[in-house]
Amino acid sequence: MSDPASDGIPCLWMRGGTSKAAVFLASDLPAEPTERNALLLRVMGSPDPSQVDGIGGGDPLASKVAILSPSTRADADVDYLFLQVFVDQPVVTDAQGCGNILAAVGPAAIERGLVPAGDDVTPVRIHMLNTGEVSLAQVSTPGGRVSYQGDARIDGVPGRHAPIPLLFQNTEGSMCGALLPTGRARDVIDGIECTLIDNGMPVVILRASDFDLTGRETRETLDGNMMLKARLERLRRAVGPFMNLGDVRDKSVPKMTLVSPPGTGGTINTRSFIPHRCHASIGVFAAVSVATACTLTNSVAAELAQLPEDERFLVEHPTGATEVLVRRNSLGGIEGIGTLRTARKLFDGQVYPAPPA
């Protein structure tokens, strides 16, 4: 492979949901993970709080990478590997997926020629390598080209864009091996009641009131509460083995999510940590796990939730609400789950990583 610092690497910079990511073809990156990750740190400008010498935005939501390749399985069209590049640490992890960036994968796969565009709408079956599941995205392709224009809007993103419905399959226990890894809807860890759940994202659900919070504090206020963050990190490390995740000291999962009663007509209110900073909204799969918990008798979330009469669960967060579509059977069990996101191509070109230190 030629020197990427001088020759550049083909890169799509995409917004997916409320996050941004550099999208690469696997064939344009080193195959060896250690070498690849070192290169991506240089691309993003990590470790540095401002990521001033890279394309990262100085925030975990803008320091993400999607790597695409032809599908390795017959029931999918494209393989998608998500990597979280830490901002201020030399860490790149594949320990989780990302549902927001998932929304950008369908359009990017078509843009890069991995999936042929149909007329009007193109279904893209996405094999999520992080967890092994397949998701179905519906991408707007009028005239056989990706269109990002439309009337859909999501909280946390200005303007209106083309809708990208996402349908998830077999997400229960994606990383923990079971929807409820302890077999219980409620556990007590370090004296705090919590729900440990994984329906696409390992999440620890805790009552905000147990931390003397209303749950409506701003992101900035919570990020500045060092005692709270230290307590949440102690709990996060303690629950790792209970969730079959082992030592999570250097992992980006599980997500710690504080819940409280809804305040703007939604299903439940959240403040989610990813894992050391408060999320500006909430991750898609974290929202799916929280919405699922709202349906489980005796969970911490269920006692605070206002369940909707239809399928639209609105998970409130600092900048609005994330809509999760939950299809339940007559007994209240979940038959299907999905969400609606938007995405946009921000630039397409070459990225020039910093030279090795």
Side-chain angles (χ1 to χ4, degrees):
M1 181 174 290
S2 60
D3 179 15
S6 57
D7 298 336
I9 308 168
C11 175
L12 271 172
W13 187 237
M14 298 282 293
R15 176 185 65 77
T18 55
S19 295
K20 292 190 285 189
V23 182
F24 298 97
L25 293 180
S27 57
D28 290 328
L29 295 174
E32 200 284 314
T34 300
E35 183 182 353
R36 177 200 68 201
N37 293 349
L39 176 64
L40 294 176
L41 287 168
R42 291 155 50 202
V43 166
M44 286 297 181
S46 298
D48 171 50
S50 68
Q51 293 181 316
V52 68
D53 203 30
I55 64 173
D59 187 294
L61 300 182
S63 188
K64 301 184 175 187
V65 169
I67 300 177
L68 309 186
S69 56
S71 180
T72 53
R73 48 192 286 180
D75 60 347
D77 302 306
V78 61
D79 281 358
Y80 155 51
L81 177 67
F82 171 75
L83 297 174
Q84 179 70 59
V85 181
F86 281 46
V87 173
D88 54 0
Q89 300 178 52
V91 174
V92 179
T93 177
D94 63 358
Q96 67 175 76
C98 180
N100 273 303
I101 297 307
L102 177 66
V105 171
I110 298 170
E111 296 270 11
R112 283 293 187 251
L114 294 174
V115 176
D119 195 12
D120 193 25
V121 174
T122 302
V124 181
R125 300 169 301 169
I126 302 165
H127 175 205
M128 299 177 285
L129 294 176
N130 302 78
T131 58
E133 288 87 23
V134 173
S135 175
L136 176 65
Q138 300 283 357
V139 182
S140 177
T141 52
R145 297 186 61 182
V146 176
S147 173
Y148 300 97
Q149 298 180 2
D151 294 326
R153 67 172 303 276
I154 59 174
D155 287 336
V157 177
R160 295 180 181 273
H161 306 85
I164 302 178
L166 297 169
L167 177 65
F168 308 122
Q169 302 172 2
N170 304 317
T171 53
E172 293 189 9
S174 62
M175 297 181 64
C176 299
L179 178 68
L180 299 172
T182 66
R184 297 178 293 271
R186 186 177 304 217
D187 289 280
V188 178
I189 306 293
D190 196 22
I192 297 290
E193 289 189 325
C194 55
T195 295
L196 313 181
I197 188 169
D198 173 15
N199 198 9
M201 178 65 68
V203 173
V204 181
I205 299 175
L206 309 134
R207 285 184 295 254
S209 59
D210 286 341
F211 297 86
D212 296 322
L213 299 170
T214 66
R216 308 214 160 273
E217 289 79 5
T218 66
R219 183 191 191 195
E220 292 74 21
T221 296
L222 294 174
D223 273 342
N225 189 334
M226 295 300 130
M227 291 183 62
L228 168 68
K229 291 169 70 174
R231 182 75 189 282
L232 290 177
E233 181 61 11
R234 287 197 301 271
L235 284 166
R236 196 178 76 87
R237 295 184 185 183
V239 302
F242 292 106
M243 299 187 77
N244 300 318
L245 296 171
D247 184 355
V248 300
R249 184 187 309 266
D250 296 322
K251 296 180 180 179
S252 55
V253 290
K255 308 301 186 188
M256 309 298 285
T257 300
L258 305 177
V259 295
S260 56
T264 57
T267 305
I268 195 164
N269 184 56
T270 64
R271 294 294 185 268
S272 185
F273 289 77
I274 54 172
H276 306 121
R277 294 177 67 177
C278 185
H279 203 304
S281 54
I282 186 171
V284 171
F285 286 118
V288 167
S289 289
V290 171
T292 303
C294 291
T295 71
L296 301 180
T297 302
N298 198 42
S299 78
V300 170
E303 68 183 50
L304 300 172
Q306 297 291 325
L307 296 183
E309 295 183 0
D310 59 13
E311 299 177 348
R312 299 173 64 247
F313 282 56
L314 296 176
V315 180
E316 297 177 2
H317 54 69
T319 53
T322 293
E323 181 178 303
V324 178
L325 303 177
V326 181
R327 186 170 301 160
R328 292 174 284 170
N329 59 31
S330 59
L331 299 177
I334 295 178
E335 292 184 334
I337 202 154
T339 189
L340 187 142
R341 297 276 87 186
T342 68
R344 195 166 75 83
K345 179 172 65 173
L346 303 178
F347 77 67
D348 184 356
Q350 305 283 116
V351 65
Y352 296 85

